Amino acid sequence: MSDELSEEMLFILNIFYKNRNLSSDKGYHSQKLKKLYGKKFPGREYLTLKDAIKKLHNEGYITTIKKKEEKYYISNIPMAVLALQEHGFIKGFQ
């Protein structure tokens, strides 16, 4: 499950979580994500943004909103929070 998430995939989930992109009416713009992702992972040795998004989508973490520009949001909040907690991005809830 979340052990299989790459650094790139966790980066994307963390952005969505921090910005509270947790529902279909609160999607994160693909162009903003592309810019942030390019700064963080500039080389070819990293997973491409398209591949990272595809893997997160296929594993059920995120959903794509088809509009003029694509947007994304976390569709499985408990699974995403668990993955982010396991990898130290957020502290556990008490």
Side-chain angles (χ1 to χ4, degrees):
M1 257 180 69
S2 63
D3 292 336
E4 300 170 9
L5 294 179
S6 67
E7 178 184 358
E8 299 91 339
M9 293 164 67
L10 289 165
F11 174 77
I12 293 168
L13 277 181
N14 192 42
I15 287 174
F16 295 170
Y17 181 77
K18 281 182 175 180
N19 289 293
R20 299 297 186 248
N21 303 110
L22 308 173
S23 65
S24 62
D25 62 337
K26 305 256 188 208
Y28 199 83
H29 290 272
S30 58
Q31 290 305 314
K32 284 184 183 178
L33 181 60
K34 186 176 182 178
K35 186 176 180 178
L36 289 172
Y37 192 87
K39 286 181 181 180
K40 178 80 174 176
F41 304 106
R44 290 185 181 192
E45 66 272 12
Y46 298 107
L47 193 61
T48 66
L49 175 60
K50 184 177 179 179
D51 289 341
I53 290 290
K54 184 177 180 179
K55 286 183 179 189
L56 285 169
H57 185 271
N58 289 344
E59 292 183 23
Y61 286 95
I62 66 171
T63 298
T64 304
I65 305 167
K66 303 282 185 185
K67 291 195 172 194
K68 186 175 183 181
E69 275 189 42
E70 286 187 337
K71 293 182 176 184
Y72 308 100
Y73 70 97
I74 295 175
S75 54
N76 190 328
I77 298 165
M79 193 164 74
V81 168
L82 180 62
L84 291 170
Q85 285 175 339
E86 287 177 354
H87 291 89
F89 284 89
I90 56 176
K91 301 288 183 199
F93 298 107
Q94 309 260 332

